[in-house]
């Protein structure tokens, strides 16, 4: 197995602030999306993805009980990648559109977990870095969380 421990990240005050901000924005997102009973506590699973020149992420979605998914882009050169969302209604007109978002440094994007998304190939020589995350109810998924 691969050792996924990373105490320099998980124990840092900056990471604690990021998780706190994710929880704060997720709560607001859920309220604005019509959730009536937004819990006071969440389980947040975060991982880092680095996109070197030519790296991309194929279309996918998640359906494992999370409330919301998202990405925080701490380091990304303008125009290097696009974070795209596919129309969940299918490919036939008048649907089938793809919404394309150009992330920028410091950008945090929330989206429904069920919506298909992908990242276009990095067109620059500088890596694009994102902290991807899933926000679960307090009793939600029990992967290797850093509670």
């Amino acid at each position: 197995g691969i050792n996924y421990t990373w105490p320099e990240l998980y124990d840092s005050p900056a990471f604690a602030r990021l998780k706190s901000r994710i929880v704060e924005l997720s709560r607001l997102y859920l309220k604005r999306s019509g959730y009536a009973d937004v819990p006071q506590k969440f389980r947040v699973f975060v991982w880092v993805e680095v996109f070197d020149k030519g790296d991309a992420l194929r279309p996918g979605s998640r359906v494992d009980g999370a409330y919301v998914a998202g990405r925080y882009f701490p380091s990304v050169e303008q125009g290097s990648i696009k974070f795209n969302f596919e129309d969940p209604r299918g490919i036939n007109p008048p649907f089938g559109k793809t919404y394309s978002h150009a992330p920028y440094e410091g950008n945090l994007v929330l989206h429904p977990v069920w919506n298909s998304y992908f990242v276009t190939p990095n067109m620059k020589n500088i890596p694009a870095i994102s902290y991807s995350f899933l926000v679960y109810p307090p009793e939600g998924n029990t992967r290797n969380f850093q509670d």
Side-chain angles (χ1 to χ4, degrees), residues 18 21-22 25 46-51 55-57 69-85 99-111 117-122 126-133:
L18 173 62
R21 189 70 173 141
I22 289 169
L25 291 172
V46 182
W47 67 99
V48 177
E49 293 181 345
V50 178
F51 298 92
D55 288 347
L57 179 69
R71 286 177 183 269
Y72 168 64
F73 296 93
S75 178
V76 61
E77 188 172 331
Q78 200 99 29
S80 61
I81 61 172
K82 293 210 185 267
F83 187 30
N84 296 317
F85 302 94
Y99 172 76
S100 190
H101 174 72
Y104 50 89
E105 200 163 298
N107 186 209
L108 192 145
V109 180
L110 300 172
H111 60 91
Y117 60 90
F118 64 96
V119 175
T120 61
N122 183 354
I126 298 171
I129 300 170
S130 79
Y131 288 79
S132 298
F133 56 88

